[in-house]
């Protein structure tokens, strides 16, 4: 009988302890490139016209949702004004964290020279970044970036 009580107490203790340990574990922040590499990545984004691509993608999602759900013009304008490229920029920086400064400079030169890179580039072909962009655009459509 004593062993049964000990086992029951141990099981109860573990049931209380395990969720506490699991909740206390926070994921590390996403990796970011150095300050110098961020400057080069910003130049790559500019050369590839990716900021325009992000904004156009979000606008297309907003127009699609507006037509589908029958938004009034005020709501559509409010949602459209909530588009802020800076809210998505860290996802792009994270994509380039694996490149060193020399590789980024080489990539920048390729973007500046070859217009094919500008339309079909690493940012538009990255499945992770495309998924993140979809999530970002859907969050905008849901109104998560509207300042209240």
């Amino acid at each position: 009988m004593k062993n049964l009580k000990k086992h029951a107490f141990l099981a109860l203790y573990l049931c209380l302890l395990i969720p506490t340990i699991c909740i206390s574990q926070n994921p590390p922040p996403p990796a970011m490139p150095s300050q110098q590499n961020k400057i080069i990545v910003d130049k790559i984004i500019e050369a590839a016209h990716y900021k325009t691509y992000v904004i156009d993608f979000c606008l297309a999602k907003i127009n699609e949702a507006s037509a589908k759900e029958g938004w009034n013009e005020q709501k559509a304008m409010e949602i459209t004004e909530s588009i802020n490229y800076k809210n998505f920029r860290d996802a792009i920086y994270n994509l380039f964290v694996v490149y060193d400064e020399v590789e980024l400079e080489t990539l920048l030169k390729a973007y500046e020279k070859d217009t094919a890179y500008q339309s079909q580039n690493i940012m538009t072909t990255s499945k992770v970044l495309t998924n993140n962009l979809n999530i970002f655009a859907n969050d905008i459509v849901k109104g998560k970036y509207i300042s209240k």
Side-chain angles (χ1 to χ4, degrees):
M1 190 68 159
K2 273 188 169 181
N3 278 345
L4 184 59
K5 283 185 178 180
K6 285 182 181 177
H7 289 292
F9 177 73
L10 181 62
L12 179 64
Y13 181 73
L14 287 175
C15 288
L16 294 174
L17 182 65
I18 290 173
T20 305
I21 292 170
C22 293
I23 291 171
S24 67
Q25 296 177 356
N26 294 327
M32 290 293 167
S34 69
Q35 204 58 32
Q36 179 61 32
N37 286 359
K38 281 183 181 181
I39 293 169
I40 300 168
V41 170
D42 286 337
K43 290 177 183 177
I44 291 171
I45 291 167
E46 188 177 315
H49 309 290
Y50 194 66
K51 182 177 178 180
T52 306
Y53 177 82
V54 169
I55 293 170
D56 288 346
F57 186 87
C58 292
L59 286 172
K61 284 280 191 179
I62 290 169
N63 291 336
E64 181 183 316
S66 178
K68 184 178 178 182
E69 297 173 16
W71 293 349
N72 61 27
E73 192 158 324
Q74 181 183 358
K75 180 175 181 176
M77 185 59 75
E78 192 176 279
I79 297 288
T80 300
E81 289 173 353
S82 72
I83 298 172
N84 187 348
Y85 167 76
K86 290 181 181 180
N87 293 330
F88 187 68
R89 188 175 53 197
D90 285 351
I92 298 168
Y93 286 156
N94 184 258
L95 175 70
F96 288 99
V97 77
V98 296
Y99 298 102
D100 64 23
E101 192 173 339
V102 174
E103 291 170 321
L104 288 173
E105 287 288 351
T106 305
L107 200 55
L108 175 60
K109 288 175 184 163
Y111 280 106
E112 291 173 338
K113 284 182 186 174
D114 192 352
T115 55
Y117 268 79
Q118 294 174 7
S119 59
Q120 197 67 347
N121 59 58
I122 189 171
M123 292 172 283
T124 57
T125 58
S126 167
K127 289 184 181 188
V128 172
L129 195 59
T130 302
N131 186 44
N132 287 341
L133 181 56
N134 266 315
I135 292 168
F136 176 68
N138 288 333
D139 285 348
I140 287 174
V141 167
K142 291 176 186 173
K144 292 187 178 183
Y145 290 97
I146 295 176
S147 58
K148 295 177 183 177

